[in-house]
Amino acid sequence: MASFLQLLLAWLGGCGCAGRLMPPSQGARAGSLRGNMSQRWERPLMRSRRSWVWNQFFVIEEYAGPEPVLIGRLHTDVDRGEGRIKYVLTGEGAGTVFVIDEKTGNIHVTKTLDREEKSQYTLLAQAVDRASNRPLEPPSEFIIKVQDINDNPPVFLHGPYHATVPEMSNVGTSVIQVTAHDADDPAYGNSARLVYTVLEGLPFFSVDPQTGVIRTATPNMDRETQQEFLVVVQAKDMGGHAGGLSGSTTVTVTLSDVNDNPPRFPQSSYQFSVVETAPPGSAVGRLRAHDPDEGENALLAYSILDGGDGAEAFAIHTDALGQDGIITVKKPLDFESRHSYTFRVEATNTLIDPQYIRKGPFKDMATVRITVEDADEPPAFSRSDYHLAVYENSPPGTLLGKVTAVDLDSPSSAIRYSILPHTDPERYFSINPQDGTILTSVPLDRELLPWHNMTVVATELDSPTQASHVQVAIQILDVNDNPPQLEHSYEPFVCDNAAPGHVSATWDLIRVITPTGLAIRVELGGTYCYRNVLDKI
């Protein structure tokens, strides 16, 4: 085994993989030759202190021999082979990992080494007199390097990966870079030289063999056809050659959406119905144009294209999600005047990408027909309110006027009229239930109440729940039915200088201040006098 190992180490030295090691049987001359030979492929760490001669030592990692493996020999030229020299080894691993034959200077490794755990060991060599332990040479430091072998496969430390790329991307668009790590020595041989290949995901994606950058390899990949792809990438060492170790990882590639699909109505026409009594703002129907894109690329706006009655009677707006068009009543409808409406509706993408405009137009149209349904409506008065008038003191039964209502659903249907009791609590008026004529029930006094306001109800005879109300204002007109009356109670008097035949007194409305206080001026035939009558003011 030892001879085989020596041959193996010599072969490695000849291939430039390690410094040559001195076989145990050779002396200083062989050691010197070993140093000269190693200079041809690697700069040696030549140590020569006085008479020490050795090369840098190497040991192959992961070697598991049946006995300690000889890795080299220390030798000094003061050793004449008389057996008085004792070789001593200290430093990293001395006595445990590495042992030295104290007589010959042969160094053996006693256990399997792992370069990835520790790549080199620094030791101290010394030659002493066996009898006295007196140093014959100063201690000298040397290094044992652990030679790498390809014992570590590439590992993707950050996998599995997830990446996103827009659909319809051009060939060669970069998706993501994956990187594998090889713990072997990148400076030695090809053990850590990696090559990347795609194991799964062809022909849609490719990978750069040296950098691990994944790129699109197929044009016009459509998210609406396939949104997600699984790509398996392998990294192989030894430059990808046979015998190399490999590792793999997965990359989940998701195609992100672009606005490359115009909206399309699933049908060319829609039909809805609405009752004529639906108030403005009531929803009539909902329609949706299909857009296979997603997010903001699928947002739609709806509009009514045709003018005229369709656009005047109905409106359309987009729901909060930007997907559906909701048709609503815009103004009151009347079945009796129009039974249906037909108009066109357009759906348009709110956002358009100029890059894909060639796939347009990004809009579509559909025809909408809305049928107005008849409703059992209450009677409709001919006016929104009525204003009637009557002279005061007119006898009971005097005609004031007439209110008229009609059943729009069936104009020939009978209508019954009545006065809401609480609007005419004194029963001043009455109404003919058949024709709506309004009469007085008692004489009215304008000076007592000049206006009366009441509510008249019209009810369908066949459907008493269908009723309408209208306000009726009645004005009481004046007649000359009141004699004049003095506004005040007057006390006539005359001035002390009044002439015969003059008016006894005419009150003047002028109030004056006299020397005796506040007074009223009295005129008697052009003559004025003043009277202090504060209580008369």
Side-chain angles (χ1 to χ4, degrees):
M1 177 62 70
S3 298
F4 170 77
L5 179 62
Q6 292 172 9
L7 291 174
L8 174 63
L9 295 176
W11 177 80
L12 289 173
C15 293
C17 299
R20 293 191 55 173
L21 305 176
M22 186 192 313
S25 59
Q26 293 177 341
R29 180 175 174 274
S32 300
L33 177 61
R34 184 170 59 247
N36 294 333
M37 290 293 291
S38 65
Q39 292 176 1
R40 289 182 296 174
W41 57 82
E42 181 178 343
R43 181 182 177 183
L45 295 178
M46 196 69 177
R47 306 267 184 173
S48 179
R49 293 194 179 179
R50 296 192 179 177
S51 52
W52 283 111
V53 179
W54 65 72
N55 268 334
Q56 179 173 284
F57 295 142
F58 293 89
V59 57
I60 300 175
E61 67 169 333
E62 306 295 347
Y63 180 80
E67 57 186 4
V69 179
L70 176 65
I71 61 171
R73 178 184 178 188
L74 297 177
H75 182 73
T76 177
D77 56 6
V78 300
D79 186 358
R80 304 300 181 183
E82 301 169 349
R84 71 183 187 91
I85 302 298
K86 176 182 177 181
Y87 293 98
V88 179
L89 188 65
T90 59
E92 295 179 321
T96 56
V97 179
F98 305 102
V99 294
I100 190 169
D101 187 321
E102 63 181 23
K103 294 181 179 179
T104 64
N106 290 339
I107 300 175
H108 294 77
V109 60
T110 63
K111 58 186 294 187
T112 301
L113 301 181
D114 185 358
R115 187 199 68 84
E116 287 71 41
E117 181 180 327
K118 189 171 178 62
S119 61
Q120 66 180 32
Y121 296 81
T122 302
L123 295 103
L124 208 62
Q126 191 172 21
V128 299
D129 184 272
R130 182 177 297 279
S132 64
N133 278 334
R134 181 175 60 85
L136 301 178
E137 292 281 0
S140 186
E141 183 182 274
F142 68 99
I143 293 175
I144 298 179
K145 276 196 170 184
V146 182
Q147 187 71 57
D148 182 50
I149 64 171
N150 188 22
D151 60 339
N152 290 279
V155 177
F156 290 91
L157 300 178
H158 304 291
Y161 296 85
H162 296 270
T164 301
V165 65
E167 62 173 333
M168 300 295 171
S169 293
N170 295 327
V171 174
T173 300
S174 176
V175 178
I176 192 174
Q177 182 177 23
V178 296
T179 304
H181 172 72
D182 194 317
D184 293 323
D185 188 357
Y188 177 75
N190 292 327
S191 297
R193 181 169 168 253
L194 305 182
V195 172
Y196 298 92
T197 56
V198 174
L199 298 183
E200 184 177 338
L202 296 173
F204 304 104
F205 299 93
S206 64
V207 65
D208 187 293
Q210 279 72 45
T211 64
V213 174
I214 298 175
R215 301 181 185 276
T216 57
T218 301
N220 302 324
M221 285 191 291
D222 189 4
R223 184 197 67 86
E224 288 73 35
T225 302
Q226 183 175 346
Q227 184 174 7
E228 194 172 87
F229 296 82
L230 182 65
V231 181
V232 179
V233 177
Q234 180 191 73
K236 190 174 184 180
D237 61 17
M238 300 299 292
H241 295 143
L245 303 178
S246 65
S248 62
T249 188
T250 61
V251 182
T252 302
V253 181
T254 302
L255 298 184
S256 61
D257 186 58
V258 299
N259 192 11
D260 60 335
N261 292 281
R264 290 290 180 263
F265 283 106
Q267 56 197 70
S268 60
S269 63
Y270 294 83
Q271 188 130 3
F272 303 102
S273 61
V274 60
V275 67
E276 63 176 329
T277 54
S282 301
V284 176
R286 181 184 292 256
L287 47 83
R288 173 183 290 189
H290 177 66
D291 190 330
D293 296 322
E294 64 180 5
E296 64 179 14
N297 294 323
L299 296 179
L300 301 175
Y302 294 87
S303 60
I304 295 176
L305 291 181
D306 301 321
D309 294 341
E312 291 180 2
F314 300 96
I316 188 169
H317 66 274
T318 309
D319 69 349
L321 299 178
Q323 299 295 312
D324 293 353
I326 302 173
I327 300 175
T328 58
V329 177
K330 190 174 181 180
K331 70 175 186 178
L333 304 173
D334 184 12
F335 170 81
E336 286 69 31
S337 62
R338 185 160 184 176
H339 295 348
S340 66
Y341 296 83
T342 301
F343 51 88
R344 291 184 303 163
V345 168
E346 182 180 75
T348 307
N349 274 138
T350 57
L351 295 176
I352 298 176
D353 190 339
Q355 184 177 353
Y356 303 100
I357 196 69
R358 67 185 186 280
K359 293 180 174 288
F362 284 81
K363 58 185 177 180
D364 196 20
M365 291 180 294
T367 301
V368 175
R369 186 174 189 272
I370 299 177
T371 301
V372 180
E373 296 180 349
D374 189 24
D376 190 7
E377 299 174 272
F381 282 97
S382 61
R383 290 198 236 160
S384 59
D385 58 73
Y386 291 86
H387 179 197
L388 305 178
V390 63
Y391 284 103
E392 64 177 333
N393 301 322
S394 296
T398 300
L399 177 65
L400 281 73
K402 182 179 182 180
V403 296
T404 303
V406 65
D407 183 357
L408 299 178
D409 302 312
S410 180
S412 61
S413 297
I415 304 295
R416 291 293 178 264
Y417 302 94
S418 62
I419 298 173
L420 283 182
H422 70 274
T423 63
D424 183 24
E426 303 298 334
R427 304 292 190 270
Y428 290 132
F429 307 96
S430 64
I431 190 169
N432 187 308
Q434 281 77 33
D435 62 9
T437 55
I438 300 175
L439 309 172
T440 60
S441 298
V442 296
L444 304 173
D445 187 357
R446 187 197 68 83
E447 287 72 32
L448 182 63
L449 189 60
W451 284 91
H452 294 265
N453 294 285
M454 63 182 183
T455 301
V456 173
V457 182
T459 307
E460 292 182 12
L461 184 61
D462 297 334
S463 181
T465 58
Q466 295 294 329
S468 297
H469 300 72
V470 72
Q471 296 296 316
V472 178
I474 301 172
Q475 182 180 10
I476 310 303
L477 303 177
D478 186 44
V479 297
N480 190 11
D481 59 344
N482 291 286
Q485 295 179 347
L486 291 175
E487 185 177 357
H488 300 286
S489 176
Y490 296 97
E491 182 181 349
F493 66 93
V494 296
C495 295
D496 55 2
N497 58 350
H502 285 180
V503 179
S504 59
T506 299
W507 292 94
D508 192 346
L509 298 181
I510 300 175
R511 299 175 182 178
V512 298
I513 301 297
T514 66
T516 58
L518 184 62
I520 295 177
R521 187 174 71 175
V522 180
E523 179 185 359
L524 294 175
T527 302
Y528 296 92
C529 63
Y530 299 90
R531 184 179 180 188
N532 293 317
V533 283
L534 294 178
D535 58 326
K536 297 293 184 179
I537 297 175

